[in-house]
Amino acid sequence: MSAEAGAGPARLDVDAIIDDPRTRIVVCCGAGGVGKTTTSAALGLRAAERGRHAVVITVDPARRLAQSLGLESLDGTPRPVPLAEGAQGTMHAMMLDMKRTFDEVVEEHADPERARQILDNPFYKTLSTGFSGTQEYMAMEKLGQLRRSGDWDLIVVDTPPSRSALDFLDAPKRLGRFLDGKLITFLSAPAGKGAFRVLGSGFGLVASVVGKLVGARFLDDLRSFVSAFDTVFGGFQKRAEQTYRLLQEPGAAFVVVAAPDTDALREASYFADRLAADSMPLAGLVVNRVHPLPDGGRLSAAEAERAAEALGGGEGHTLAAAALRLHAERVRLRARERRLCQEALSAHPGLPVAEVAALAEDVHDLDGLRSIGAALADPVRA
């Protein structure tokens, strides 16, 4: 925020975060479409060129982002990013492959024959690609895998583009409870086995009704899946809880990303509240695509419009009058952005903020990402 708007919030010191060797994980979160992926890539690049060995996990990136990283494409394998000559660190980038990550979990925790049964099961194929929360859960799984590998000293996570930013925190627990829960065990249990023998025909009737609702084939696939999946059961909730604890440690830093509009800032405020409730370290807020006033642009909107009116439609004054009216519109837009940010931050006094100016065009190369990183480190002040 500018001096005109008062002291304003504290400035988010991005370099202090990425330069601190104790920082091992940076999570960029927020609503969809606010520039999280670009922010994540820019932070990873800046950290690498300042000496860190960084890996960026991105989710469903546009092809232009891979190209801006100097890569043909991104996949589930961390790929080295070509850095500037003299760069002190290294950078890798990868795209979250939801199904492949799920497959890796199965292969790690089941013997080869049982793993094959699981991977070939139709219910598993649906679960690993289409169930709500699977993508968020697998983002957590991949984060844990990379952290355990020890190959990088900084992991930057671009959270999935969920309907709600809170899905990143909630969905893994929901999926873990589903996989470890009693309902799935009940649905998959043979009617004549164990405690269900006591229910006799009553259980058979329930199973018959459920079978009509979801399909007998579905129940057969589910039973087969659970039978093969038995050795993996119990680990999902445990790993979700382990990752939660990892994200609560001082070595993690959450950066909430927003745009200067009501919905994105409201989502950012909700996320900040949730992080505080879960005792997760919130580093600050990045507000992308703001419209700072040009240097020397100190005329108020009203003053600019009065000056434009004074010029009238006289010969030679048309362009000057149009420029003054354009300035008036820009001043009003900037005032609105400041007001929205102040309203969102009113519930979070002291939260550090970095505002990044809107670009004339999309980022399409490493230099563009470097400019975003530099803007994060020296944010808008006007």
Side-chain angles (χ1 to χ4, degrees):
M1 305 293 177
S2 70
E4 296 177 44
R11 183 175 72 87
L12 175 61
D13 191 343
V14 166
D15 285 347
I17 296 171
I18 60 177
D19 288 349
D20 188 341
R22 294 171 297 181
T23 303
R24 307 302 298 273
I25 299 170
V26 173
V27 181
C28 293
C29 50
V34 296
K36 283 184 304 191
T37 301
T38 301
T39 300
S40 301
L43 285 173
L45 178 62
R46 187 170 182 86
E49 295 191 336
R50 293 171 68 89
R52 302 301 296 271
H53 297 287
V55 60
V56 176
I57 314 172
T58 186
V59 180
D60 194 24
R63 181 173 175 79
R64 62 175 174 77
L65 179 66
Q67 294 171 338
S68 69
L69 289 168
L71 304 172
E72 285 296 318
S73 62
L74 291 174
D75 56 24
T77 301
R79 305 291 181 185
V81 174
L83 302 182
E85 185 176 351
Q88 302 174 45
T90 61
M91 178 181 178
H92 288 72
M94 63 177 294
M95 179 181 71
L96 177 68
D97 185 333
M98 180 172 66
K99 185 177 186 309
R100 182 59 204 153
T101 302
F102 211 147
D103 292 350
E104 290 170 353
V105 173
V106 171
E107 291 165 351
E108 181 181 352
H109 293 90
D111 62 75
E113 175 57 26
R114 188 154 295 188
R116 182 192 62 77
Q117 293 174 15
I118 295 171
L119 298 179
D120 290 343
N121 184 277
F123 179 81
Y124 170 77
K125 291 178 180 179
T126 300
L127 175 68
S128 62
T129 57
F131 264 50
S132 174
T134 302
Q135 188 177 54
E136 288 80 4
Y137 183 93
M138 290 308 146
M140 290 282 203
E141 282 281 356
K142 182 54 67 175
L143 170 59
Q145 289 177 7
L146 294 174
R147 185 71 178 86
R148 289 190 298 271
S149 76
D151 293 335
W152 296 277
D153 61 21
L154 180 65
I155 303 169
V156 182
V157 183
D158 164 35
T159 56
S162 306
R163 179 188 60 80
S164 165
L166 296 178
D167 286 347
F168 177 69
L169 295 179
D170 291 332
K173 285 189 175 180
R174 289 202 306 269
L175 182 64
R177 284 195 298 265
F178 169 73
L179 291 173
D180 291 344
K182 295 178 181 178
L183 176 61
I184 192 171
T185 305
F186 173 81
L187 290 176
S188 61
K193 184 178 180 180
F196 291 115
R197 283 185 298 183
V198 178
L199 297 177
S201 61
F203 177 80
L205 177 61
V206 172
S208 175
V209 172
V210 172
K212 289 178 181 178
L213 290 173
V214 301
R217 178 62 183 272
F218 176 87
L219 276 182
D220 289 342
D221 290 338
L222 178 57
R223 287 169 178 148
S224 175
F225 165 75
V226 173
S227 175
F229 207 62
D230 185 59
T231 57
V232 188
F233 257 21
F236 282 81
Q237 189 69 19
K238 180 180 179 181
R239 282 193 300 277
E241 291 170 355
Q242 288 173 340
T243 305
Y244 260 63
R245 288 195 294 271
L246 186 67
L247 292 174
Q248 290 172 327
E249 294 176 357
F254 280 81
V255 174
V256 178
V257 184
D261 65 64
T262 303
D263 290 342
L265 285 167
R266 183 184 297 119
E267 192 87 352
S269 181
Y270 290 157
F271 209 103
D273 287 338
R274 175 59 185 277
L275 292 172
D278 285 8
S279 301
M280 292 187 176
L282 174 56
L285 171 69
V286 170
V287 184
N288 280 325
R289 303 169 191 156
V290 302
H291 299 82
L293 301 179
D295 292 340
R298 298 305 176 191
L299 283 179
S300 69
E303 289 170 337
E305 286 186 335
R306 284 197 297 269
E309 288 294 328
L311 288 175
E315 186 177 350
H317 295 160
T318 303
L319 287 177
L324 285 166
R325 292 191 178 96
L326 185 63
H327 176 76
E329 292 177 6
R330 183 66 169 260
V331 170
R332 289 196 179 94
L333 174 60
R334 184 64 180 135
R336 179 179 180 275
E337 292 174 349
R338 288 189 180 123
R339 176 176 55 78
L340 290 174
C341 287
Q342 288 168 349
E343 289 173 355
L345 291 169
S346 62
H348 308 282
L351 180 65
V353 178
E355 293 184 306
V356 178
L359 300 179
E361 59 183 3
D362 289 336
V363 174
H364 61 272
D365 57 18
L366 285 169
D367 285 340
L369 287 175
R370 287 189 187 97
S371 69
I372 294 293
L376 286 165
D378 186 18
V380 168
R381 300 173 187 274

